[in-house]
Amino acid sequence: MSSPPGEPRRIGYLYLLPALLVYGAFLLYPLLRAVHLSLFEWNGITLARFVGLSNYLDVV
């Protein structure tokens, strides 16, 4: 029994891998970093202080 055309599908994912890496590097990493930084209070000079969700409560 022969396999259908286009098999194995893993090769197709290898072609997508570079695009997914670029996507992660330029979109997902900055997004996650921004969420991480939003959990801190920082004036730009002193050390940052972890405040958790307090910043979000202030906005609401």
Side-chain angles (χ1 to χ4, degrees):
M1 180 150 99
S2 65
S3 62
E7 289 293 333
R9 291 182 185 265
R10 283 179 262 169
I11 298 209
Y13 291 118
L14 286 177
Y15 285 115
L16 291 176
L17 186 61
L20 293 175
L21 290 175
V22 169
Y23 176 76
F26 288 101
L27 185 73
L28 294 178
Y29 175 75
L31 179 65
L32 294 175
R33 183 72 175 139
V35 170
H36 177 258
L37 289 175
S38 71
L39 301 174
F40 290 86
E41 182 178 331
W42 185 49
N43 63 6
I45 298 173
T46 61
L47 289 175
R49 183 173 61 97
F50 181 76
V51 294
L53 297 176
S54 174
N55 289 335
Y56 291 102
L57 292 175
D58 291 343
V59 169
V60 172

